[in-house]
Amino acid sequence: MNPTEIKDLYSFTFYGGLKTKGRNVVFVKAQANEANNNYEYDLMLCKDGKISQLTDRKNVSSYTFEDKKTLWFTLPLKDDEKKTAFWRLPLKGGEAIQAEVINQPGVQILDFINPDLMLLSIEHTPEDKHPHAEDYEVLAESPYYMNGQGFIAGKRTHYYLYDRKTKTLSDPITNGLKPDVFTVKDGKIYFAANEDKGARQSFFSMSLYEYDPIAKTRTHLINTHMDLFNLDADENRLLFFASDGRQIGLNSNPKLYACSLADKKIDLIADWHECLGNTVGTDCALLGGNATCMDKNRLCFTSTIVDHNNLFDVDGDALHQILEWPGTIHSFGFAKGVLYFIGAKPGELQELYKMENGEVSQISDFHPELKDKYIAQAKPIFYTGSQDSSQLGWVLYPKDFDPDKKYPAILDIHGGPKTVYGTIFYHEMQLWASHGYFVFFCNPFGSDGQGNDYADLRGKYGTDDYDDLMKFTDTVLAQVPQIDPERVGVTGGSYGGFMTNWIITHTDRFKAAASQRSISNWLSFWGTSDIGPEFVVDQQACGLENPEKLWWHSPMRTISTAKTPTLFIHSDEDYRCPIEQGYQMLNGLIQNGVETKMVLFHKETHELSRSGKPVHRERRLEEITNWMDTHLKGTKHEA
């Protein structure tokens, strides 16, 4: 068997954005291009179990059905990127035809109200007429930047209607609002939105609105005083998962509600205690998916249960489980009553599946390159966590494992913290297992998939979660004697980066660390992160009125005790965990005389490891692997 390598990234294909109409199942395929250092996107079609490629343009990732015979996609106009071209593609065959041009950049088609009326989303940026305006940013509201979007001060996204007959664009139908989720029913548009007050405001303040395109009227339906996760509709109700934050703040799992279109009354349908959607982490899911989908009048949705995804439906007011799946359900839909989904089994990458008459079958074979690769299977490790509950973690064994030998190992900590690790293919972990490492990972206190109480880490960062990780490490070392306890490293990103920073400032049991897109100082994070003020107050149970508590939970408070050689990975356009967080740790270790370095990636965001430029993802894995090799194997690599 051949080892998993860093360069395998270029042979992987990624899938998502699945939508259905009639018998047609359409989804997006993406693949990294090493020569161009980008990703290529095209549309795929599955009809009656046969898969074919619809486009070969390398840049089609957003599309909408007009009807069951035709779909539309948008691209920048070839000769003028400040305009958007709409392309119409017949599904029975033939070339896509450029059908419309809008004098706006970045236009997205959200849906068709009817064959002649399209619902669009358009982002507007305030025009700065000052000389050399490109040299300045004027910041007068917060948040002033967002990860993955850059500086957003003054930018607004609104919904519009485009009339194909008259070639006219309406005024924004969401003027004065910040729209979020939407649905179209019986020729009317329903959406959730906050009032546009400029500065950031409470998540739990959304209202529901109705827009009638014929009467050209917008009606406020009801204040929900909640944060809505989706908006769908059955025969006579709007259906949505929403949270008021009362359980555990921003991370509260949503409940399912219905709003009657007759009396505008909101009723609780299901007091759901788990999350909505897929929160199982991987570095091999480039494209977006969906958490809800209507199949006629029943609402179907996915949820993460411990370490995998299950599929449920609500028919009327009755909730049922449709499918228990051992891996992930990334994107799904129904074609003529048959469920189709893009998902991954344990140890595998994404494939297309269908479920018919209760039986699941795999339609695709997207990854033949894995058949001759060593893929380590996740072996379960049970341990008692800090909450005295039985918890599950996993260990990947190294390639060509010899039970009579000792091996180095890496503890990998997920981000979030309200996400989970599961057993599907994770490139970085498989790479390290192929190159002689045990890799072990778990879902410590604060993770998703086990209800609100288990996810409630508010005011506890670095306490119960740290204890969980140390207990898990102790259990792994006790149950796997082939791991050399003197050659164990630790890594993680985002919350996992925070925890890596916390670990190296509270123990020297790990001989090497790689801290990625991390948090080190909650006081400065409050003022520099795009989500700083609300996230800090929510997760640390206090704000700047209690600097002592924020400082107590900051790894920088105990930086003088750190002895572990540590690599820092950060990106200069990461506005979620800004680079100043890494700079503080880097300087602290330098002052301690501890071996350290930072690799700073330009023009990358918080998503470097998942959707960063391919050559940057390659360099990131090289740096982490070389750091671990140097300190856990004694292997010297050229700088």
Side-chain angles (χ1 to χ4, degrees):
M1 301 292 284
N2 296 319
T4 297
E5 301 285 5
I6 294 177
K7 291 280 189 182
D8 291 341
L9 172 65
Y10 300 107
S11 67
F12 297 157
T13 49
F14 312 101
Y15 301 88
L18 184 148
K19 300 177 185 177
T20 61
K21 201 80 167 180
R23 292 183 298 159
N24 296 309
V25 180
V26 177
F27 54 99
V28 184
K29 169 188 174 182
Q31 187 165 15
N33 183 306
E34 184 175 12
N36 296 331
N37 192 24
N38 65 1
Y39 298 96
E40 297 177 343
Y41 302 89
D42 273 300
L43 301 182
M44 307 289 289
L45 171 68
C46 178
K47 186 173 184 178
D48 299 328
K50 296 182 180 179
I51 298 174
S52 59
Q53 187 163 323
L54 281 174
T55 63
D56 188 23
R57 294 173 176 267
K58 315 301 183 189
N59 59 350
V60 182
S61 59
S62 176
Y63 68 97
T64 306
F65 280 101
E66 176 186 349
D67 52 41
K68 62 184 179 181
K69 297 179 180 180
T70 312
L71 59 80
W72 291 61
F73 59 87
T74 58
L75 295 173
L77 190 64
K78 189 174 182 180
D79 298 325
D80 187 351
E81 292 198 351
K82 293 184 178 181
K83 298 180 180 181
T84 302
F86 292 5
W87 293 79
R88 190 172 187 267
L89 177 63
L91 293 175
K92 286 189 175 181
E95 292 292 325
I97 299 172
Q98 183 175 305
E100 306 283 347
V101 174
I102 301 289
N103 293 325
Q104 299 280 351
V107 179
Q108 296 294 321
I109 304 174
L110 298 181
D111 208 342
F112 278 81
I113 310 303
N114 58 52
D116 295 319
L117 197 60
M118 307 163 80
L119 177 63
L120 308 180
S121 171
I122 304 177
E123 180 184 87
H124 288 279
T125 302
E127 184 179 0
D128 188 342
K129 297 182 180 180
H130 286 78
H132 308 290
E134 68 276 6
D135 294 339
Y136 311 99
E137 294 290 345
V138 179
L139 311 180
E141 62 183 34
S142 177
Y144 38 80
Y145 55 31
M146 287 293 289
N147 184 66
Q149 300 179 46
F151 286 92
I152 62 168
K155 291 184 179 179
R156 296 293 186 268
T157 297
H158 284 296
Y159 297 164
Y160 293 78
L161 291 173
Y162 179 74
D163 190 321
R164 294 182 59 208
K165 283 186 176 179
T166 61
K167 308 294 183 184
T168 56
L169 189 68
S170 73
D171 292 331
I173 67 174
T174 53
N175 191 42
L177 302 173
K178 292 182 178 179
D180 196 327
V181 291
F182 79 96
T183 191
V184 174
K185 175 177 171 56
D186 298 333
K188 294 181 179 179
I189 303 158
Y190 297 90
F191 61 92
N194 284 320
E195 292 185 31
D196 187 355
K197 298 179 180 179
R200 68 174 82 227
Q201 59 199 81
S202 170
F203 286 91
F204 310 111
S205 60
M206 286 189 179
S207 294
L208 290 174
Y209 294 85
E210 175 190 86
Y211 186 84
D212 186 334
I214 304 302
K216 298 182 180 179
T217 56
R218 186 177 80 193
T219 304
H220 176 269
L221 298 181
I222 193 169
N223 293 321
T224 71
H225 303 293
M226 292 185 285
D227 181 23
L228 273 66
F229 291 58
N230 72 296
L231 191 60
D232 292 282
D234 65 10
E235 194 170 17
N236 51 26
R237 305 178 299 180
L238 298 177
L239 300 169
F240 53 90
F241 282 90
S243 166
D244 59 13
R246 294 178 184 176
Q247 291 86 7
I248 60 168
L250 295 176
N251 282 338
S252 298
N253 288 325
K255 300 177 182 181
L256 177 60
Y257 297 88
C259 177
S260 167
L261 291 176
D263 59 16
K264 314 301 185 292
K265 179 183 177 183
I266 293 179
D267 293 311
L268 176 66
I269 300 300
D271 190 3
W272 191 242
H273 294 286
E274 302 297 344
C275 75
L276 176 68
N278 169 29
T279 57
V280 180
T282 178
D283 52 4
C284 292
L286 184 71
L287 293 157
N290 59 299
T292 66
C293 176
M294 293 301 298
D295 178 34
K296 296 183 179 177
N297 271 323
R298 64 172 182 157
L299 174 68
C300 302
F301 66 95
T302 56
S303 181
T304 298
I305 308 298
V306 183
D307 61 349
H308 61 278
N309 297 155
N310 290 353
L311 182 66
F312 301 85
D313 77 352
V314 178
D315 197 348
D317 292 346
L319 189 149
H320 311 92
Q321 180 172 291
I322 301 174
L323 172 65
E324 181 167 7
W325 183 245
T328 56
I329 301 171
H330 190 72
S331 190
F332 70 101
F334 292 84
K336 295 292 185 181
V338 176
L339 169 67
Y340 289 83
F341 67 94
I342 293 166
K345 292 178 180 177
E348 296 185 10
L349 290 166
Q350 294 171 320
E351 299 285 354
L352 180 65
Y353 298 88
K354 75 172 181 177
M355 186 176 80
E356 196 168 16
N357 299 320
E359 297 294 325
V360 176
S361 59
Q362 182 175 323
I363 302 174
S364 64
D365 185 18
F366 292 142
H367 304 286
E369 73 275 8
L370 292 186
K371 292 176 181 176
D372 64 349
K373 292 281 186 183
Y374 172 70
I375 306 299
Q377 298 303 307
K379 297 190 177 183
I381 294 283
F382 291 93
Y383 68 101
T384 301
S386 60
Q387 302 293 304
D388 293 325
S389 61
S390 178
Q391 292 297 318
L392 173 63
W394 299 269
V395 175
L396 303 182
Y397 276 59
K399 184 178 182 294
D400 302 323
F401 170 68
D402 182 341
D404 295 324
K405 291 184 177 180
K406 289 281 190 178
Y407 293 85
I410 299 172
L411 168 63
D412 202 333
I413 307 170
H414 68 62
K418 195 176 181 284
T419 62
V420 302
Y421 272 151
T423 59
I424 63 172
F425 185 95
Y426 213 115
H427 186 206
E428 67 180 36
M429 296 188 193
Q430 293 294 339
L431 168 71
W432 298 329
S434 271
H435 287 262
Y437 289 93
F438 280 97
V439 184
F440 59 106
F441 50 99
C442 69
N443 293 318
F445 180 68
S447 299
D448 210 348
Q450 300 183 59
N452 282 319
D453 290 344
Y454 191 75
D456 190 2
L457 196 57
R458 293 175 299 172
K460 301 174 184 176
Y461 277 57
T463 60
D464 289 351
D465 49 352
Y466 172 70
D467 292 343
D468 258 19
L469 290 165
M470 295 305 99
K471 289 179 178 180
F472 175 59
T473 300
D474 292 339
T475 303
V476 170
L477 294 180
Q479 293 188 19
V480 187
Q482 291 84 8
I483 295 178
D484 182 350
E486 297 301 316
R487 293 191 292 154
V488 179
V490 60
T491 189
S494 196
Y495 165 76
F498 161 81
M499 189 49 66
T500 300
N501 291 346
W502 187 270
I503 285 171
I504 66 170
T505 57
H506 286 79
T507 179
D508 59 1
R509 71 183 298 177
F510 295 91
K511 304 309 175 186
S515 173
Q516 307 169 60
R517 57 189 191 281
S518 69
I519 298 171
S520 64
N521 182 341
W522 290 106
L523 288 160
S524 60
F525 181 89
W526 185 96
T528 57
S529 170
D530 59 353
I531 59 171
E534 62 269 309
F535 188 80
V536 170
V537 171
D538 184 77
Q539 291 294 286
Q540 300 309 321
C542 70
L544 296 183
E545 80 285 350
N546 192 349
E548 294 81 7
K549 181 170 175 58
L550 295 185
W551 185 237
W552 191 93
H553 289 281
S554 299
M556 279 302 296
R557 177 179 63 88
T558 46
I559 188 67
S560 63
T561 66
K563 300 176 182 178
T564 307
T566 303
L567 168 71
F568 295 96
I569 302 285
H570 272 269
S571 301
D572 63 4
E573 293 181 11
D574 182 348
Y575 303 134
R576 186 62 38 85
C577 294
I579 56 175
E580 56 88 11
Q581 297 288 305
Y583 287 157
Q584 294 183 57
M585 292 294 295
L586 178 72
N587 267 326
L589 292 188
I590 289 173
Q591 294 303 311
N592 286 359
V594 176
E595 185 179 358
T596 185
K597 74 173 181 179
M598 177 185 284
V599 179
L600 174 59
F601 288 84
H602 293 304
K603 297 184 179 180
E604 288 291 357
T605 72
H606 197 66
E607 307 307 313
L608 167 64
S609 66
R610 297 175 286 247
S611 60
K613 292 182 176 63
V615 296
H616 293 169
R617 293 176 66 179
E618 184 180 353
R619 174 71 183 272
R620 167 190 167 271
L621 275 177
E622 286 176 351
E623 291 288 346
I624 297 171
T625 304
N626 291 349
W627 189 263
M628 296 298 179
D629 284 352
T630 298
H631 295 92
L632 303 182
K633 291 183 177 180
T635 305
K636 297 296 183 182
H637 294 274
E638 293 184 6

